[in-house]
Amino acid sequence: MTFAWKSAGLSYNRYLAAASRAVRRSLKEDKRIAAERRGEMELRFAKWTDGKQGDNKSLASANAAAASEAASQGSS
């Protein structure tokens, strides 16, 4: 017997994300806003050099900067 999410071609993480989104959307306004805030994630990273931690950076902004740099190098 296969699980419905597996037969639909979803990973378990994607299934959980879709289920939690559906639950958050079904809540009343005040509870929904608090639950949506908990659902947001902001990943941060720091580069370590010679045993010292560098500045913490947002992963989303670092990815955007790398993509724009790659696009500018590709067009020249």
Side-chain angles (χ1 to χ4, degrees):
M1 178 177 155
T2 6
F3 295 106
W5 56 267
K6 198 176 240 183
S7 61
L10 294 172
S11 70
Y12 187 66
N13 285 338
R14 289 197 183 259
Y15 162 73
L16 283 179
S20 58
R21 233 186 347 252
V23 168
R24 280 189 215 110
R25 288 179 182 167
S26 68
L27 295 173
K28 291 184 179 179
E29 187 69 22
D30 57 337
K31 305 265 188 210
R32 183 181 57 80
I33 292 171
E36 284 178 353
R37 286 191 189 123
R38 281 194 307 270
E40 295 173 3
M41 287 191 297
E42 183 175 324
L43 298 176
R44 301 184 73 71
F45 73 97
K47 185 175 180 178
W48 289 72
T49 308
D50 297 327
K52 307 263 185 204
Q53 182 180 357
D55 293 333
N56 285 331
K57 297 180 184 175
S58 168
L59 187 61
S61 62
N63 282 341
S68 64
E69 183 179 321
S72 67
Q73 287 178 355
S75 63
S76 20

